[in-house]
Amino acid sequence: MTSLLMCLCCVLLELMAVHSRVLMQSRIVGGHTAAPNSIRYLVSLKSTSGQHFCGGSLVHRYWVLTAAHCNIGAEQMMIVAGDYKVNIFEGTEQYAKPRILVIHPLYNRSTNNADIMLIKLRAPMVLNKYVSLAPLPRQGTGVAEGHVCRVSGWGYNSLEGGQVPVTLRTVTVPIVSTARCNSSDSFNGNITANMICAGYSTGGKDACKGDSGGPLVCDRRIYGVVSWGNGCGDAKFPGVYTAVSRFRRWIDQTIYGSYLRCFKPWR
């Protein structure tokens, strides 16, 4: 009987540990609640059933910047701006359906390279005290190692993959050098020139599942898009972001160039 009780206790403890690990991998890790309407360019990508699944940034009244891996098809998503508590109507929200999704032609699902996408909206968002445009960096500019940036998002917070009403959260993380991020102790060469890493050597602070597509902001400009990682808040594995400055020309060409006239992929 004693052995049985001990076995049951071990199983219970293991289940609790698994439960804890999953929860840690389901929201901004180690952060805090953002002030209401303080990140006005952040948008929520929701399924047609109303479930938040990715973040994004409004870079033009008609265009949203997000991650390519957030693509679930234009007919399956809704873009919500002016949100603070997802799944709770606050009267500040604006809703728009996507017209087209523009995935970067170099996007590779296997390597996560060029994990960036632009969404053209069917109707423009109205800029006001709840909704604004995100400032972007110039082409090719970088951020120095150790520079502290901010990542924000909603993220899932239930084991079933659903979501209870949750308030926007944010956390600051320092930029990690590509050399360190690519070391054999970390991502072992899988970080491309189109990616940047950010996180503490002690771990504990990171973006996570449900934050994908959201902004990494340095010096008030969006230098990164939440892309991928190995777990969340792991000391050995910083968060990996798409380097927005590598794609500024593509962003401008897509929004303002010939794409609008002929709807052909940018080259």
Side-chain angles (χ1 to χ4, degrees), residues 28 31-44 52 55-56 82-86 90 150-155 163 165-171 210-211 214-215:
I28 285 280
H32 60 274
T33 301
N37 313 120
S38 61
I39 310 174
R40 296 181 295 161
Y41 46 78
L42 185 62
V43 301
S44 169
H52 168 87
D83 223 347
Y84 181 59
K85 295 183 178 179
V86 290
E90 301 167 277
R150 181 176 299 277
V151 60
S152 309
W154 287 278
Q163 185 173 2
V166 60
T167 304
L168 178 64
R169 295 182 65 80
T170 186
V171 67
D211 297 318

CSV table of all heavy atoms in Angstrom, one decimal, residues 28 31-44 52 55-56 82-86 90 150-155 163 165-171 210-211 214-215:
chain,number,residue,atom,x,y,z
A,28,ILE,N,3.9,35.4,-22.7
A,28,ILE,CA,5.1,36.1,-22.4
A,28,ILE,C,5.7,35.6,-21.1
A,28,ILE,O,5.0,35.6,-20.1
A,28,ILE,CB,4.8,37.6,-22.3
A,28,ILE,CG1,4.6,38.2,-23.7
A,28,ILE,CG2,5.9,38.4,-21.6
A,28,ILE,CD1,5.8,38.5,-24.5
A,31,GLY,N,7.4,38.5,-17.8
A,31,GLY,CA,7.1,39.9,-18.0
A,31,GLY,C,6.0,40.4,-17.1
A,31,GLY,O,5.8,39.9,-16.0
A,32,HIS,N,5.4,41.5,-17.5
A,32,HIS,CA,4.4,42.1,-16.7
A,32,HIS,C,3.3,42.7,-17.6
A,32,HIS,O,3.4,42.8,-18.8
A,32,HIS,CB,5.0,43.3,-15.8
A,32,HIS,CG,5.6,44.3,-16.7
A,32,HIS,ND1,6.9,44.3,-17.1
A,32,HIS,CD2,5.1,45.5,-17.1
A,32,HIS,CE1,7.2,45.4,-17.8
A,32,HIS,NE2,6.1,46.1,-17.9
A,33,THR,N,2.1,43.0,-17.0
A,33,THR,CA,1.0,43.6,-17.7
A,33,THR,C,1.4,45.0,-18.3
A,33,THR,O,1.9,45.8,-17.6
A,33,THR,CB,-0.2,43.7,-16.8
A,33,THR,OG1,-0.5,42.4,-16.3
A,33,THR,CG2,-1.4,44.3,-17.6
A,34,ALA,N,1.1,45.1,-19.6
A,34,ALA,CA,1.4,46.4,-20.2
A,34,ALA,C,0.3,47.5,-19.8
A,34,ALA,O,-0.8,47.1,-19.5
A,34,ALA,CB,1.4,46.3,-21.8
A,35,ALA,N,0.7,48.7,-19.8
A,35,ALA,CA,-0.2,49.8,-19.5
A,35,ALA,C,-1.3,49.8,-20.6
A,35,ALA,O,-1.0,49.6,-21.8
A,35,ALA,CB,0.5,51.1,-19.4
A,36,PRO,N,-2.5,50.1,-20.3
A,36,PRO,CA,-3.6,50.1,-21.3
A,36,PRO,C,-3.3,51.1,-22.4
A,36,PRO,O,-2.8,52.2,-22.2
A,36,PRO,CB,-4.8,50.6,-20.5
A,36,PRO,CG,-4.5,50.2,-19.1
A,36,PRO,CD,-3.1,50.4,-18.9
A,37,ASN,N,-3.4,50.6,-23.7
A,37,ASN,CA,-3.3,51.4,-24.9
A,37,ASN,C,-1.9,52.0,-25.0
A,37,ASN,O,-1.7,53.0,-25.7
A,37,ASN,CB,-4.3,52.5,-25.0
A,37,ASN,CG,-5.7,52.0,-24.7
A,37,ASN,OD1,-6.3,52.4,-23.7
A,37,ASN,ND2,-6.2,51.0,-25.4
A,38,SER,N,-0.9,51.4,-24.4
A,38,SER,CA,0.5,51.9,-24.5
A,38,SER,C,1.3,51.3,-25.7
A,38,SER,O,2.3,51.9,-26.1
A,38,SER,CB,1.3,51.5,-23.2
A,38,SER,OG,1.3,50.1,-23.1
A,39,ILE,N,0.7,50.2,-26.3
A,39,ILE,CA,1.4,49.7,-27.5
A,39,ILE,C,0.3,49.7,-28.6
A,39,ILE,O,-0.3,48.6,-28.9
A,39,ILE,CB,1.9,48.3,-27.2
A,39,ILE,CG1,2.8,48.3,-26.0
A,39,ILE,CG2,2.8,47.8,-28.4
A,39,ILE,CD1,3.3,46.9,-25.5
A,40,ARG,N,0.1,50.8,-29.2
A,40,ARG,CA,-1.1,51.0,-30.0
A,40,ARG,C,-1.0,50.4,-31.4
A,40,ARG,O,-2.0,50.3,-32.1
A,40,ARG,CB,-1.4,52.5,-30.1
A,40,ARG,CG,-1.8,53.2,-28.8
A,40,ARG,CD,-2.1,54.6,-28.9
A,40,ARG,NE,-0.9,55.4,-29.3
A,40,ARG,CZ,-1.0,56.6,-29.9
A,40,ARG,NH1,-2.2,57.2,-30.1
A,40,ARG,NH2,0.1,57.2,-30.2
A,41,TYR,N,0.2,50.1,-31.8
A,41,TYR,CA,0.4,49.5,-33.2
A,41,TYR,C,0.3,48.0,-33.2
A,41,TYR,O,0.2,47.3,-34.2
A,41,TYR,CB,1.7,49.9,-33.8
A,41,TYR,CG,2.9,49.7,-32.8
A,41,TYR,CD1,3.4,48.5,-32.5
A,41,TYR,CD2,3.4,50.8,-32.1
A,41,TYR,CE1,4.5,48.3,-31.6
A,41,TYR,CE2,4.4,50.7,-31.2
A,41,TYR,CZ,5.0,49.4,-31.0
A,41,TYR,OH,6.0,49.3,-30.1
A,42,LEU,N,0.2,47.4,-32.0
A,42,LEU,CA,0.1,45.9,-31.9
A,42,LEU,C,-1.3,45.5,-32.2
A,42,LEU,O,-2.3,46.1,-31.7
A,42,LEU,CB,0.5,45.5,-30.5
A,42,LEU,CG,0.5,44.0,-30.2
A,42,LEU,CD1,1.6,43.3,-31.1
A,42,LEU,CD2,0.8,43.7,-28.7
A,43,VAL,N,-1.4,44.5,-33.1
A,43,VAL,CA,-2.7,43.9,-33.4
A,43,VAL,C,-2.8,42.5,-33.1
A,43,VAL,O,-1.8,41.8,-32.9
A,43,VAL,CB,-3.1,44.1,-34.9
A,43,VAL,CG1,-3.0,45.6,-35.3
A,43,VAL,CG2,-2.1,43.3,-35.8
A,44,SER,N,-4.0,42.0,-32.9
A,44,SER,CA,-4.2,40.6,-32.7
A,44,SER,C,-4.8,39.9,-34.0
A,44,SER,O,-5.7,40.4,-34.6
A,44,SER,CB,-5.3,40.4,-31.6
A,44,SER,OG,-5.7,39.0,-31.5
A,52,HIS,N,-7.5,34.2,-30.6
A,52,HIS,CA,-6.2,34.8,-30.9
A,52,HIS,C,-5.1,33.7,-31.1
A,52,HIS,O,-5.0,32.7,-30.4
A,52,HIS,CB,-5.7,35.7,-29.7
A,52,HIS,CG,-4.3,36.1,-29.8
A,52,HIS,ND1,-3.9,37.3,-30.4
A,52,HIS,CD2,-3.2,35.5,-29.3
A,52,HIS,CE1,-2.6,37.4,-30.3
A,52,HIS,NE2,-2.1,36.4,-29.6
A,55,GLY,N,0.4,37.6,-33.1
A,55,GLY,CA,0.4,39.1,-33.0
A,55,GLY,C,0.8,39.7,-34.3
A,55,GLY,O,1.2,38.9,-35.3
A,56,GLY,N,0.8,41.0,-34.4
A,56,GLY,CA,1.3,41.7,-35.6
A,56,GLY,C,1.4,43.1,-35.3
A,56,GLY,O,1.0,43.6,-34.2
A,82,GLY,N,-6.5,48.0,-31.7
A,82,GLY,CA,-7.0,48.7,-30.5
A,82,GLY,C,-7.4,47.8,-29.4
A,82,GLY,O,-8.2,48.1,-28.5
A,83,ASP,N,-6.9,46.5,-29.4
A,83,ASP,CA,-7.2,45.6,-28.4
A,83,ASP,C,-6.3,45.7,-27.2
A,83,ASP,O,-5.2,46.1,-27.3
A,83,ASP,CB,-7.1,44.1,-29.0
A,83,ASP,CG,-8.2,43.2,-28.6
A,83,ASP,OD1,-9.0,43.6,-27.7
A,83,ASP,OD2,-8.4,42.1,-29.2
A,84,TYR,N,-6.8,45.3,-26.0
A,84,TYR,CA,-6.0,45.3,-24.8
A,84,TYR,C,-6.2,44.0,-24.1
A,84,TYR,O,-5.3,43.3,-23.7
A,84,TYR,CB,-6.3,46.5,-23.9
A,84,TYR,CG,-5.5,46.5,-22.6
A,84,TYR,CD1,-4.1,46.6,-22.7
A,84,TYR,CD2,-6.1,46.5,-21.4
A,84,TYR,CE1,-3.4,46.6,-21.5
A,84,TYR,CE2,-5.4,46.6,-20.2
A,84,TYR,CZ,-4.0,46.6,-20.3
A,84,TYR,OH,-3.3,46.6,-19.1
A,85,LYS,N,-7.5,43.7,-23.9
A,85,LYS,CA,-7.9,42.4,-23.3
A,85,LYS,C,-8.6,41.6,-24.3
A,85,LYS,O,-9.7,41.8,-24.7
A,85,LYS,CB,-8.8,42.5,-22.1
A,85,LYS,CG,-8.1,43.2,-20.9
A,85,LYS,CD,-9.0,43.3,-19.7
A,85,LYS,CE,-8.3,44.0,-18.5
A,85,LYS,NZ,-9.2,44.1,-17.3
A,86,VAL,N,-7.9,40.6,-24.9
A,86,VAL,CA,-8.5,39.8,-25.9
A,86,VAL,C,-9.6,39.0,-25.4
A,86,VAL,O,-9.7,38.6,-24.2
A,86,VAL,CB,-7.5,38.8,-26.6
A,86,VAL,CG1,-6.4,39.6,-27.4
A,86,VAL,CG2,-6.7,38.0,-25.5
A,90,GLU,N,-14.1,45.9,-25.4
A,90,GLU,CA,-13.8,47.1,-24.6
A,90,GLU,C,-14.3,48.4,-25.3
A,90,GLU,O,-14.2,49.5,-24.8
A,90,GLU,CB,-12.3,47.2,-24.3
A,90,GLU,CG,-11.8,46.0,-23.6
A,90,GLU,CD,-10.3,46.0,-23.5
A,90,GLU,OE1,-9.7,45.5,-24.5
A,90,GLU,OE2,-9.7,46.5,-22.6
A,150,ARG,N,12.1,45.5,-26.2
A,150,ARG,CA,10.9,45.1,-25.6
A,150,ARG,C,10.0,44.2,-26.5
A,150,ARG,O,9.9,44.6,-27.7
A,150,ARG,CB,10.1,46.3,-25.1
A,150,ARG,CG,8.7,46.0,-24.5
A,150,ARG,CD,8.0,47.2,-24.0
A,150,ARG,NE,8.9,47.9,-23.0
A,150,ARG,CZ,8.9,47.6,-21.7
A,150,ARG,NH1,8.2,46.6,-21.2
A,150,ARG,NH2,9.6,48.3,-20.9
A,151,VAL,N,9.5,43.1,-26.0
A,151,VAL,CA,8.6,42.3,-26.8
A,151,VAL,C,7.3,42.1,-26.1
A,151,VAL,O,7.3,42.1,-24.9
A,151,VAL,CB,9.2,40.9,-27.1
A,151,VAL,CG1,9.5,40.1,-25.8
A,151,VAL,CG2,8.3,40.0,-28.0
A,152,SER,N,6.2,42.2,-26.8
A,152,SER,CA,4.9,42.2,-26.2
A,152,SER,C,3.9,41.2,-27.0
A,152,SER,O,4.1,41.0,-28.1
A,152,SER,CB,4.3,43.6,-26.3
A,152,SER,OG,5.2,44.6,-25.8
A,153,GLY,N,2.9,40.8,-26.2
A,153,GLY,CA,1.9,39.9,-26.9
A,153,GLY,C,0.9,39.4,-25.9
A,153,GLY,O,1.0,39.6,-24.7
A,154,TRP,N,0.0,38.6,-26.4
A,154,TRP,CA,-1.1,38.0,-25.5
A,154,TRP,C,-0.7,36.5,-25.3
A,154,TRP,O,-0.5,36.2,-24.1
A,154,TRP,CB,-2.4,38.2,-26.2
A,154,TRP,CG,-3.0,39.6,-26.2
A,154,TRP,CD1,-3.6,40.2,-25.2
A,154,TRP,CD2,-2.9,40.5,-27.2
A,154,TRP,NE1,-3.9,41.4,-25.5
A,154,TRP,CE2,-3.5,41.7,-26.8
A,154,TRP,CE3,-2.3,40.5,-28.5
A,154,TRP,CZ2,-3.6,42.9,-27.5
A,154,TRP,CZ3,-2.4,41.7,-29.3
A,154,TRP,CH2,-3.0,42.8,-28.8
A,155,GLY,N,-0.8,35.7,-26.2
A,155,GLY,CA,-0.4,34.3,-26.0
A,155,GLY,C,-1.5,33.5,-25.4
A,155,GLY,O,-2.4,34.0,-24.7
A,163,GLN,N,-8.2,29.8,-24.8
A,163,GLN,CA,-7.7,31.0,-24.1
A,163,GLN,C,-8.8,31.6,-23.2
A,163,GLN,O,-10.0,31.7,-23.6
A,163,GLN,CB,-7.3,32.0,-25.2
A,163,GLN,CG,-6.7,33.3,-24.6
A,163,GLN,CD,-6.1,34.1,-25.7
A,163,GLN,OE1,-6.2,33.8,-26.8
A,163,GLN,NE2,-5.5,35.2,-25.3
A,165,PRO,N,-9.9,35.2,-21.1
A,165,PRO,CA,-9.6,36.6,-21.3
A,165,PRO,C,-8.2,36.9,-20.7
A,165,PRO,O,-8.0,36.6,-19.5
A,165,PRO,CB,-10.7,37.3,-20.6
A,165,PRO,CG,-11.9,36.3,-20.7
A,165,PRO,CD,-11.2,35.0,-20.5
A,166,VAL,N,-7.4,37.5,-21.4
A,166,VAL,CA,-6.0,37.8,-21.0
A,166,VAL,C,-5.6,39.2,-21.4
A,166,VAL,O,-5.9,39.7,-22.5
A,166,VAL,CB,-5.0,36.7,-21.5
A,166,VAL,CG1,-5.0,36.7,-23.0
A,166,VAL,CG2,-3.6,36.9,-21.0
A,167,THR,N,-4.9,39.9,-20.5
A,167,THR,CA,-4.4,41.2,-20.8
A,167,THR,C,-3.1,41.2,-21.5
A,167,THR,O,-2.2,40.3,-21.2
A,167,THR,CB,-4.3,42.0,-19.4
A,167,THR,OG1,-5.6,41.9,-18.8
A,167,THR,CG2,-4.0,43.4,-19.7
A,168,LEU,N,-2.8,42.2,-22.3
A,168,LEU,CA,-1.6,42.3,-23.0
A,168,LEU,C,-0.4,42.3,-22.0
A,168,LEU,O,-0.4,43.1,-21.0
A,168,LEU,CB,-1.6,43.6,-23.9
A,168,LEU,CG,-0.3,43.9,-24.6
A,168,LEU,CD1,0.0,42.8,-25.7
A,168,LEU,CD2,-0.4,45.3,-25.3
A,169,ARG,N,0.7,41.6,-22.3
A,169,ARG,CA,1.8,41.5,-21.5
A,169,ARG,C,3.1,41.9,-22.3
A,169,ARG,O,3.1,41.8,-23.5
A,169,ARG,CB,2.0,40.1,-20.9
A,169,ARG,CG,0.9,39.8,-19.9
A,169,ARG,CD,1.1,38.4,-19.3
A,169,ARG,NE,2.3,38.4,-18.4
A,169,ARG,CZ,2.3,38.8,-17.2
A,169,ARG,NH1,1.2,39.4,-16.6
A,169,ARG,NH2,3.4,38.7,-16.4
A,170,THR,N,4.1,42.3,-21.5
A,170,THR,CA,5.3,42.8,-22.2
A,170,THR,C,6.5,42.4,-21.3
A,170,THR,O,6.4,42.3,-20.1
A,170,THR,CB,5.2,44.3,-22.4
A,170,THR,OG1,6.4,44.8,-23.1
A,170,THR,CG2,5.2,45.1,-21.1
A,171,VAL,N,7.7,42.3,-22.0
A,171,VAL,CA,8.9,42.0,-21.2
A,171,VAL,C,10.1,42.6,-22.0
A,171,VAL,O,10.1,42.7,-23.2
A,171,VAL,CB,9.1,40.5,-21.1
A,171,VAL,CG1,9.3,39.8,-22.4
A,171,VAL,CG2,10.2,40.1,-20.1
A,210,GLY,N,1.9,31.9,-29.2
A,210,GLY,CA,0.8,32.9,-29.2
A,210,GLY,C,1.3,34.3,-29.3
A,210,GLY,O,0.6,35.2,-29.6
A,211,ASP,N,2.7,34.5,-29.1
A,211,ASP,CA,3.3,35.8,-29.3
A,211,ASP,C,3.8,36.0,-30.7
A,211,ASP,O,4.3,37.0,-31.1
A,211,ASP,CB,4.4,36.1,-28.3
A,211,ASP,CG,3.9,36.1,-26.8
A,211,ASP,OD1,2.8,36.7,-26.6
A,211,ASP,OD2,4.5,35.5,-25.9
A,214,GLY,N,4.5,39.1,-33.3
A,214,GLY,CA,4.5,40.3,-32.6
A,214,GLY,C,5.8,41.0,-32.7
A,214,GLY,O,6.8,40.5,-33.2
A,215,PRO,N,5.9,42.3,-32.2
A,215,PRO,CA,7.1,43.1,-32.4
A,215,PRO,C,8.1,43.0,-31.3
A,215,PRO,O,7.8,42.9,-30.1
A,215,PRO,CB,6.5,44.5,-32.4
A,215,PRO,CG,5.3,44.4,-31.4
A,215,PRO,CD,4.8,43.0,-31.6
